[in-house]
Amino acid sequence: MTYLSYSAFPTANGGGNPAGVVLDASAMDAHEMLALASDLGYSETAFLRPIGEREYSIRYFSPQAEVDFCGHATVAASVALAEDRYGAGDLLLRSNVGEIPVEVVDGPHGPQATLTTVTPDTTALEVLSELLELLGWDEGDLDPSLPYGAAFGGLWHPILWAASRERLAELEYDFEGLKDLMLRKGWGTVSLLFRESPTFIHSRNAFPVGGVIEDPATGAAAAALGGFLRTHDLLPADGQFTVLQGEDMGQPCLLAVDARGDAGVRVSGTARPISG
């Protein structure tokens, strides 16, 4: 099966989160998709099936299981479609969680994709003590000025704010225990955050359910965060902010988030082909 490899959400100086892309997976079943995703070893691989002009169904697989939504693989797939077939313009992707409109424009560093998620949601985090224990955190590690909770932008993610950037830089947790909790709660990743300013947020996303310690860039989590900040009236005046993720892994990624309005959250970024 022919596949492409792209690095999504890179900075101007490199980084990014690798994703596999299969532009026409019409002949593949779920077992074959999972097998390829496992062979590639990326946190997610996107599998597209054409429905109509600029319209596709899309499925995402980690090396271990199907994932209902993945932001960085959506950006990678959209840029791949732009470069291989369509150029700039609008796309409609139909995912397990609903329709994902994408706008692709020509940017200074190649195509830039902006996805719009399904309508976000938030809820209380009822397992805070258990989550903190598995992370090796205590309540003193949390920023008392910011709320914690769980947020949805295609997948559910707990939202925790570190009291300092130094605390965020330390990530050593109970891998199997956190994986079990995430499977029980249906979480995509665990979003650990530090708010440098209202417009600039540092993020780390624990991802044991995907078989890795953390994900370098998580568009679904960035979208969920946008909805969470909207709900708690913590957005900047223009509703836009930037997430820097993957820095502590040596894979810095920039995600631009626009949470204006009351519908889906927009997440933007570029993607670059991975050679070799």
Side-chain angles (χ1 to χ4, degrees):
M1 175 56 61
T2 301
Y3 67 88
L4 303 171
S5 296
Y6 274 76
S7 184
F9 298 117
T11 70
N13 297 317
N17 191 5
V21 178
V22 177
L23 292 179
D24 189 349
S26 300
M28 300 181 73
D29 61 25
H31 295 291
E32 292 168 321
M33 294 178 189
L34 179 59
L36 178 57
S38 180
D39 288 343
L40 291 177
Y42 300 139
S43 55
E44 276 93 9
T45 295
F47 297 86
L48 299 163
R49 289 177 174 167
I51 299 173
E53 186 68 15
R54 293 180 174 268
E55 183 177 350
Y56 289 79
S57 69
I58 186 167
R59 296 177 72 176
Y60 312 92
F61 284 80
S62 79
Q64 296 189 359
E66 184 169 10
V67 179
D68 284 337
F69 177 61
C70 173
H72 88 274
T74 298
V75 167
S78 300
V79 170
L81 284 170
E83 293 186 335
D84 186 78
R85 301 187 179 182
Y86 298 121
D90 294 337
L91 300 166
L92 181 60
L93 305 179
R94 298 185 182 276
S95 74
N96 287 352
V97 298
E99 293 184 355
I100 308 296
V102 183
E103 179 187 11
V104 182
V105 299
D106 292 322
H109 305 290
Q112 175 173 298
T114 298
L115 64 89
T116 301
T117 69
V118 295
T119 302
D121 196 5
T122 62
T123 189
L125 183 59
E126 299 175 347
V127 290
L128 177 63
S129 296
E130 183 179 1
L131 177 56
L132 291 177
E133 182 177 357
L134 292 168
L135 289 169
W137 290 30
D138 58 43
E139 292 198 25
D141 292 317
L142 299 175
D143 185 336
S145 70
L146 293 168
Y148 58 83
F152 176 83
L155 296 174
W156 282 97
H157 308 263
I159 303 289
L160 296 180
W161 301 93
S164 69
R165 180 67 181 89
E166 291 73 22
R167 183 63 188 92
L168 186 65
E170 301 172 11
L171 184 63
E172 185 175 351
Y173 62 85
D174 181 338
F175 188 92
E176 292 300 328
L178 186 58
K179 179 180 178 180
D180 289 344
L181 175 61
M182 292 177 70
L183 289 172
R184 193 169 82 233
K185 302 300 292 184
W187 294 339
T189 66
V190 175
S191 289
L192 307 173
L193 307 154
F194 174 72
R195 197 184 200 202
E196 180 177 314
S197 74
T199 60
F200 196 84
I201 294 171
H202 298 264
S203 175
R204 302 188 76 171
N205 281 76
F207 191 38
V209 292
V212 296
I213 297 294
E214 65 178 304
D215 198 14
T218 317
L225 176 60
F228 185 83
L229 294 175
R230 178 200 290 170
T231 296
H232 290 280
D233 295 323
L234 289 169
L235 286 172
D238 65 359
Q240 300 178 66
F241 61 94
T242 299
V243 174
L244 174 61
Q245 188 178 333
E247 185 178 28
D248 295 290
M249 301 173 63
Q251 292 177 245
C253 300
L254 286 174
L255 300 85
V257 183
D258 182 347
R260 288 176 290 179
D262 56 7
V265 175
R266 292 161 292 282
V267 179
S268 302
T270 61
R272 300 170 183 164
I274 299 173
S275 60

